[in-house]
Amino acid sequence: NKPSTSFKPLTAMASGNDAMQQQQATNNMLNSLSQQKRNQIEQAVNTYRETLIANNQPQDVIQTYVWNYYTQCVEKLYQEQKGDTASGQDMASQQSSQPKERPSGSQSLLSGS
């Protein structure tokens, strides 16, 4: 079991510019969300991470899953906040991304309140 130096979820996702662009886009979306929505995401992601740890998932798997889940949460709440003003391009990119299904256990944190 190698010691983890810092949380780098991007390493398993993509390399170089792709990872940087994805992180930038996610940060931009996150920064446009209200503090309440940011807190919702943080709670949901932490709960999901704890579930993965409790299930004895390897660290690299946890990082990849948590990053995927985090970006999905940010994208979903960002789209909700934009409401019906989303352009056709945004809708197309949302449909082409990963399925928006939430892991069981974390579902109520996002749909509630």
Side-chain angles (χ1 to χ4, degrees):
N1 214 0
K2 54 184 186 226
S4 63
T5 50
S6 64
F7 185 64
K8 294 183 196 161
L10 292 171
T11 51
M13 286 294 303
S15 60
N17 291 337
D18 289 344
M20 292 298 287
Q21 286 175 340
Q22 185 187 16
Q23 188 175 28
Q24 188 81 45
T26 302
N27 285 342
N28 290 343
M29 284 188 274
L30 182 70
N31 289 334
S32 73
L33 294 175
S34 67
Q35 188 60 50
Q36 182 188 4
K37 290 189 185 303
R38 290 188 210 184
N39 291 344
Q40 260 186 299
I41 292 171
E42 187 178 352
Q43 276 187 318
V45 169
N46 285 337
T47 301
Y48 182 52
R49 180 186 291 122
E50 288 166 13
T51 302
L52 291 172
I53 292 170
N55 290 334
N56 296 317
Q57 295 292 335
Q59 185 63 34
D60 57 338
V61 170
I62 292 173
Q63 287 181 346
T64 302
Y65 283 19
V66 167
W67 174 251
N68 285 338
Y69 182 60
Y70 168 73
T71 56
Q72 287 180 22
C73 289
V74 172
E75 287 171 15
K76 183 180 192 306
L77 291 180
Y78 179 75
Q79 292 295 340
E80 285 177 5
Q81 183 168 285
K82 281 175 60 173
D84 296 330
T85 61
S87 67
Q89 184 180 359
D90 287 335
M91 295 305 286
S93 66
Q94 187 181 12
Q95 288 169 355
S96 66
S97 64
Q98 295 183 357
K100 298 289 185 224
E101 294 165 10
R102 299 285 173 256
S104 60
S106 302
Q107 199 170 347
S108 58
L109 287 170
L110 280 179
S111 57
S113 68

